[in-house]
Amino acid sequence: MTLARVVYLSGGVGGARLAHGLSRALDPERLTMIVNTGDDFTHWGLSISPDLDTVMYALADLGDVARGWGLATESFATLSMVQQYGGETWFQLGDRDLGTHLMRSQWLREGTSLTDITSKLCHGLGVRAKLLPMSDERCETMIDTDDGTLSFQHWLVRARAVPDVRRIWFRGRARPTQAVLRAIEAADVVIVGPSNPYVSIDPILALPGVYERVRAKPVFAVSPIVHGQAVKGPLVRMLQTLSRAEATPAAIAAHYGDLLHGLVVEAGDEASVRTLPVLGTATVMHTREHSLTLARAVLELCESRLVQP
Ligand code: FO1
């Protein structure tokens, strides 16, 4: 059996790397990527969608692979000018990246939906894969810490993720788009990227109607925890403080609970997961070839489990 329609749920950095592999392994019409927008915020008066841009730049082969965000070929002359004026420089917007934010902000002001804007931006960069924001409405991921409540970028970047996280919640009453709901309903399988479950995937699943629709499908995830470490970001501490769990793929499996039909983990990490089918393979993606190899392995797992559940 071949998978006719695949839905991929993604956050930024790790999710974007697998997105690149999936986009090479599958024809564009078979793949829909639904991306977290809980990280979105307004900065310098511009509408920034970090995860959408990270995935889009990765698919366009323009992303900075080592840093994980922004463009590979970039300069920061605008940032230094802002610094001279005493403006905010904690969030590093590059000169070329700014072009994306300027166009998105203008089109949003003109009334175009984030879904249509994303499609226009992708078209401009020659990205053929279908990339959908989880919602056209603002939904902000909020972080309760001992130092008060911070929006996601203020906690992660401005406060350097130093304050311990007590609770995560999603501000606003955002609804998923019809395109998101239809894509999930039509999917043969849902793949959850190696993204942070709390702040990248949960915001998508928390939108009204999404969790139920995803749950009705075979769902396979890639663990963002490799040999006790997160590939990037503050996931290890979140697992410890929010779930009182050690950083293992088992904790990822426990977080998603009975949503998952299978989990892909780093080779050597298989033993920690006893509750569902596990595939151990190379999950750390340093190159585009690693991303493609992992994408093919994930798809093979999905196909094998669908044939023989
Ligand atoms: N992350 C940082 O840690 N520091 C930055 O200055 C920064 C700038 C930035 C600019 C554009 C963009 O699309 C992403 C950017 N990121 C930056 C990454 C981003 O804030 C987070 O990694 C994601 O939101 C987490 O998924």
Side-chain angles (χ1 to χ4, degrees):
M1 177 201 174
T2 49
L3 302 165
R5 291 195 183 88
V6 174
V7 157
Y8 177 60
L9 307 184
S10 182
V13 185
R17 290 184 185 151
L18 184 58
H20 190 275
L22 287 169
S23 76
R24 287 176 69 196
L26 291 168
D27 293 335
E29 60 276 8
R30 288 167 61 195
L31 177 64
T32 303
M33 309 196 183
I34 300 172
V35 179
N36 169 43
T37 56
D39 296 11
D40 290 17
F41 74 130
T42 304
H43 191 66
W44 297 351
L46 300 172
S47 301
I48 319 286
S49 296
D51 285 0
L52 274 175
D53 290 347
T54 301
V55 175
M56 180 176 75
Y57 292 156
L59 295 175
D61 277 324
L62 292 173
D64 187 310
V65 178
R67 195 173 49 199
W69 50 265
L71 290 152
T73 309
E74 189 56 287
S75 57
F76 292 89
T78 311
L79 189 76
S80 37
M81 199 67 181
V82 168
Q83 188 169 29
Q84 272 196 266
Y85 294 130
E88 290 194 76
T89 54
W90 57 269
F91 198 76
Q92 298 184 14
L93 292 177
D95 300 328
R96 295 180 68 220
D97 188 30
L98 269 171
T100 305
H101 311 309
L102 285 168
M103 293 314 297
R104 178 187 294 115
S105 305
Q106 179 186 328
W107 286 330
L108 279 172
R109 273 196 306 276
E110 290 170 1
T112 310
S113 70
L114 186 59
T115 299
D116 288 346
I117 291 170
T118 303
S119 156
K120 277 156 79 113
L121 293 172
C122 284
H123 182 74
L125 296 184
V127 170
R128 290 171 62 223
K130 195 167 180 67
L131 200 61
L132 296 176
M134 65 183 199
S135 177
D136 283 336
E137 296 163 341
R138 227 356 130 69
C139 163
E140 258 184 296
T141 297
M142 304 300 295
I143 312 285
D144 287 351
T145 76
D146 292 340
D147 299 348
T149 300
L150 301 170
S151 65
F152 183 74
Q153 299 297 344
H154 282 82
W155 174 76
L156 180 78
V157 182
R158 192 177 191 181
R160 297 173 194 277
V162 171
D164 270 341
V165 177
R166 298 294 160 213
R167 187 173 79 102
I168 295 168
W169 52 283
F170 309 117
R171 183 152 80 184
R173 291 167 179 257
R175 293 159 299 175
T177 63
Q178 285 305 310
V180 161
L181 295 178
R182 277 200 300 269
I184 299 169
E185 279 165 9
D188 298 311
V189 69
V190 176
I191 297 172
V192 179
S195 301
N196 184 315
Y198 300 98
V199 292
S200 296
I201 303 300
D202 284 357
I204 306 175
L205 296 175
L207 295 170
V210 170
Y211 184 88
E212 301 86 294
R213 283 173 174 80
V214 171
R215 194 160 187 272
K217 300 290 170 179
V219 183
F220 297 83
V222 179
S223 172
I225 293 290
V226 172
H227 302 328
Q229 300 295 322
V231 176
K232 193 154 196 257
L235 176 56
V236 171
R237 266 174 59 221
M238 284 185 176
L239 283 165
Q240 289 162 348
T241 53
L242 295 172
S243 302
R244 307 252 168 263
E246 292 298 312
T248 61
I252 302 301
H255 181 91
Y256 290 123
D258 59 7
L259 200 64
L260 292 190
H261 294 226
L263 184 64
V264 179
V265 305
E266 183 68 17
D269 275 350
E270 298 90 337
S272 86
V273 186
R274 294 194 193 86
T275 49
L276 76 170
V278 173
L279 170 71
T281 187
T283 62
V284 182
M285 296 165 278
H286 293 301
T287 66
R288 306 202 192 292
E289 287 320 301
H290 292 156
S291 303
L292 179 58
T293 307
L294 177 59
R296 286 186 175 141
V298 175
L299 291 168
E300 271 169 33
L301 173 69
C302 298
E303 290 196 351
S304 69
R305 299 306 304 183
L306 291 189
V307 171
Q308 209 175 35

